[in-house]
Amino acid sequence: MKAVRIAIPTRAAVAVIAALMLAPVAMAQSRGNARLSGKVMDDQGQPLENALVTAQMTGQSDSLSGKTDKKGEWTIKGATNGEWKVVVSKEGLATATEMVEVKGDKAPPLSVTLKKAEADPMVAVNAKLQEAATLAQAGKIPEARKIYEDLLAKYPQIVQLEGFIARTYAAENNVPAALQHLKVNLDKEPNNVELKLFQAELMMESGDKAGAKAILDAVDMKDVKDPYTYINQAINLINDKKGPEAVDLLTKLLVQFPNTNELYYYRGRAYVASDKLEDAKTDLEKFVSLAPNAKEAADAKKILDQIKK
């Protein structure tokens, strides 16, 4: 009789076999004798065919599913006693969820109506905002404002529309109205740096330089993305013969915005106002070398000629 050779598994194979023997075996969810059933209709009362129906028992991961027939009716077999979540869905329609309890292997039929899915309102809002922006760029400010006002009446929760309305009034030099609408936006977004800078700009235009300065001083420079509101503050300081304050402000701006060449021009002007002509000469020469074609270059050259005399 021929000997039977029994292969001895390698250590790795033994480990795999041991792991398989020790691995827990997931318990299959038992199937019951109950049926879940119902009918699905649209909002006109017409039956919906091929709607997907998914049923999941509370506390279980497995689910049962089926589809509706031409009459909109569906039946799912294999449900057990307990509470079931039934989800009905069909493309283009809003999903519906119902709870049904199976008792004594019986469950009441469900009647579900699927309504049309509501379109995302922000799609329409964004389209209108783009329309308003196009009108504003074309100089049709009242028309743009009318769009913002109509949107605000329909969607009062979009408080940013108040800020857009404020900008239309600012474009018409109606600073009081702009400030009034901007305040409503700021009350809801008190930490919005861009809105704070806009408020400071408006206050400067209205002559409230102290109020504008208080706002700008409270803003963390690291959060500022655009230096031009601060440049306007520096210009006000220069015109008010506060050259050293303007120098300090422009120096801080240069740290934050080292590639904004105009800052050298305005700091040069601030040095002139501070009677520091050598410092002014250094900044103005640097500005001319960096931006020889800038609109301020001609003025910078005139000042340099006067300093050299």
Side-chain angles (χ1 to χ4, degrees):
M1 184 174 180
K2 189 174 179 181
V4 179
R5 298 178 61 86
I6 301 176
I8 300 175
T10 63
R11 289 173 62 91
V14 171
V16 170
I17 292 172
L20 289 173
M21 291 175 65
L22 294 174
V25 179
M27 297 296 292
Q29 181 177 330
S30 60
R31 296 284 178 166
N33 299 317
R35 295 184 179 187
L36 301 177
S37 63
K39 186 170 183 177
V40 181
M41 297 166 290
D42 62 19
D43 53 7
Q44 302 299 314
Q46 297 301 311
L48 284 172
E49 185 180 5
N50 286 326
L52 176 63
V53 182
T54 303
Q56 185 177 39
M57 186 176 178
T58 301
Q60 297 289 339
S61 58
D62 291 346
S63 61
L64 306 174
S65 63
K67 286 193 173 184
T68 58
D69 59 19
K70 291 182 179 180
K71 296 181 180 180
E73 297 175 348
W74 59 274
T75 300
I76 295 176
K77 300 178 181 179
T80 57
N81 291 326
E83 187 179 51
W84 290 78
K85 179 173 76 171
V86 178
V87 179
V88 184
S89 61
K90 187 174 176 64
E91 186 176 357
L93 300 175
T95 299
T97 301
E98 298 284 347
M99 301 300 296
V100 62
E101 187 173 6
V102 178
K103 287 184 178 179
D105 290 336
K106 292 183 180 181
L110 292 174
S111 180
V112 176
T113 299
L114 294 187
K115 299 179 180 180
K116 290 183 179 180
E118 294 184 7
D120 184 354
M122 289 310 299
V123 174
V125 170
N126 287 332
K128 281 293 185 181
L129 290 178
Q130 183 58 52
E131 181 184 348
T134 301
L135 288 170
Q137 290 169 2
K140 298 179 179 180
I141 304 302
E143 292 88 340
R145 180 165 56 245
K146 180 67 166 57
I147 290 176
Y148 295 139
E149 290 172 341
D150 289 347
L151 285 173
L152 186 62
K154 190 173 183 180
Y155 305 102
Q157 72 275 18
I158 306 179
V159 70
Q160 292 83 359
L161 290 166
E162 293 281 6
F164 292 139
I165 293 172
R167 292 187 185 281
T168 65
Y169 280 118
E172 295 174 334
N173 295 318
N174 188 342
V175 175
L179 282 169
Q180 178 182 349
H181 285 276
L182 181 60
K183 183 180 183 302
V184 178
N185 195 166
L186 266 170
D187 285 345
K188 297 294 184 180
E189 296 184 279
N191 297 319
N192 188 315
V193 172
E194 183 180 350
L195 293 180
K196 288 181 179 180
L197 297 183
F198 182 32
Q199 184 184 34
E201 281 279 1
L202 292 174
M203 293 175 76
M204 279 188 255
E205 289 184 29
S206 69
D208 187 2
K209 296 178 183 179
K213 184 177 184 301
I215 292 171
L216 295 176
D217 288 348
V219 172
D220 189 337
M221 191 73 74
K222 295 193 293 297
D223 296 329
V224 176
K225 307 300 181 186
D226 186 324
Y228 292 99
T229 300
Y230 285 90
I231 289 176
N232 286 335
Q233 183 190 12
I235 291 171
N236 282 331
L237 290 170
I238 293 169
N239 292 336
D240 290 342
K241 301 184 188 307
K242 297 179 180 179
E245 290 183 42
V247 168
D248 289 343
L249 174 58
L250 291 160
T251 300
K252 291 177 182 176
L253 287 173
L254 273 166
V255 174
Q256 179 76 359
F257 304 97
N259 297 320
T260 303
N261 298 328
E262 299 98 308
L263 293 173
Y264 289 105
Y265 167 74
Y266 289 109
R267 193 171 68 172
R269 294 288 304 264
Y271 277 131
V272 170
S274 304
D275 291 325
K276 294 187 176 181
L277 300 185
E278 283 301 316
D279 291 326
K281 179 173 175 291
T282 299
D283 269 1
L284 292 172
E285 286 178 341
K286 183 163 187 176
F287 170 70
V288 172
S289 68
L290 290 171
N293 298 318
K295 63 182 181 184
E296 299 92 350
D299 186 59
K301 291 175 183 177
K302 288 179 182 179
I303 298 172
L304 284 169
D305 288 340
Q306 292 173 358
I307 291 174
K308 292 174 182 178
K309 290 179 182 178

